[in-house]
Amino acid sequence: MSMRFKRPGMSVVVLLVSAENAWAGMPSITLTDLARMRIQTLSFFLLGILICSWIVQRIWNGLSKEFSWLPRLTFGKALGLITLWGFLFVLILTMISGARELMTPGAWEKQGLTYTIADESASEVPPDPLMEERRRVLDRLRIALWSYARSHDGRFPSQEDQTAIPDEAWQVPDPCGMRYRYVPGQFADEGHEPLVYEPGLFGLDCLVLLTDGRIVVMSLDAIEQTLDEEQTP
């Protein structure tokens, strides 16, 4: 009876072994490349921890032969000791990273669970020489206007008194020789209304000198809307 049951079992085993392809339609579960790499990394570190534990155990037990007061160390205790050292190193490195971020704010950016040095070339915007020149020339006019206002009770020059400011100070930094647009009848450091602005020579966005001394960027539509609101009683 036993031989009768063994032979069919052996036949099934032979058929399964000799089969080249399986066409039963069973699902094939595989890991993605990222998951496979993570498992390989974890396996590598786990193997490293086990090897280090074995080395520590061998060294410790070797020293215990010379120093009788040292207890024998089992592999489990060595593994626990290595794990504890690993946690302590992670804690120390985290404290160092936090102190480094406090000493150099903005120099590090978060990437996953760690921090990397921020790419300064990607965050920094290259300076615009034309924009710097436009600001410099408008700031020169600002100094001249505030100098005039200090000697005239805070009042800026009227439309007729614009000659009190040198003519070259009114010229936009462009070979065409166009002049800034001026809004007379205002006082220094009162409000934040447009006082001088570019004539739209450099695009839709213009540099505007406000009555509070700031130089800001505004569109021509926004400037005209602000001036219309001022004139509306």
Side-chain angles (χ1 to χ4, degrees):
M1 182 175 180
S2 60
M3 291 294 296
R4 186 169 53 190
F5 283 100
K6 284 184 180 181
R7 288 181 180 178
M10 291 294 296
S11 301
V12 172
V13 172
V14 171
L15 288 175
L16 291 176
V17 172
S18 61
E20 295 182 357
N21 298 316
W23 300 95
M26 297 181 63
S28 177
I29 301 175
T30 58
L31 297 175
T32 61
D33 294 337
L34 180 60
R36 190 180 299 107
M37 291 177 60
R38 289 182 176 178
I39 291 178
Q40 291 177 356
T41 303
L42 292 175
S43 302
F44 172 78
F45 280 103
L46 180 60
L47 178 62
I49 291 175
L50 296 176
I51 292 175
C52 291
S53 301
W54 180 79
I55 294 175
V56 169
Q57 181 193 16
R58 300 290 294 181
I59 294 175
W60 182 284
N61 292 334
L63 292 175
S64 64
K65 295 179 181 179
E66 302 293 334
F67 303 97
S68 58
W69 52 272
L70 284 176
R72 298 282 297 179
L73 189 66
T74 62
F75 182 79
K77 292 181 179 179
L79 180 61
L81 183 61
I82 290 295
T83 304
L84 179 61
W85 282 352
F87 284 133
L88 290 177
F89 279 125
V90 170
L91 177 62
I92 293 173
L93 291 176
T94 303
M95 295 174 62
I96 293 174
S97 299
R100 182 176 54 190
E101 175 65 21
L102 292 175
M103 296 176 64
T104 57
W108 300 85
E109 61 182 7
K110 188 174 179 60
Q111 184 175 0
L113 299 177
T114 59
Y115 286 84
T116 58
I117 298 178
D119 188 4
E120 297 181 357
S121 60
S123 59
E124 292 183 355
V125 178
D128 186 359
L130 179 58
M131 176 61 73
E132 293 181 355
E133 178 67 13
R134 290 164 58 190
R135 287 185 177 274
R136 186 187 65 82
V137 174
L138 188 56
D139 185 66
R140 184 179 61 187
L141 178 58
R142 180 188 64 83
I143 295 174
L145 288 171
W146 258 254
S147 299
Y148 179 92
R150 279 195 296 268
S151 59
H152 292 79
D153 299 328
R155 180 177 56 84
F156 290 119
S158 62
Q159 192 69 36
E160 295 76 14
D161 294 337
Q162 291 188 39
T163 55
I165 307 296
D167 188 67
E168 59 271 12
W170 293 103
Q171 294 182 356
V172 178
D174 190 83
C176 68
M178 294 184 65
R179 295 167 60 90
Y180 288 104
R181 295 181 180 178
Y182 176 62
V183 183
Q186 304 190 78
F187 291 85
D189 302 323
E190 290 188 6
H192 48 276
E193 311 301 335
L195 176 65
V196 178
Y197 60 95
E198 294 174 335
L201 186 63
F202 304 101
L204 297 178
D205 293 333
C206 305
L207 291 181
V208 183
L209 173 62
L210 305 180
T211 53
D212 58 5
R214 292 182 298 136
I215 297 177
V216 298
V217 178
M218 297 177 62
S219 64
L220 282 175
D221 293 338
I223 297 172
E224 293 176 357
Q225 182 179 358
T226 303
L227 294 177
D228 292 340
E229 292 175 357
E230 291 180 15
Q231 295 175 1
T232 302

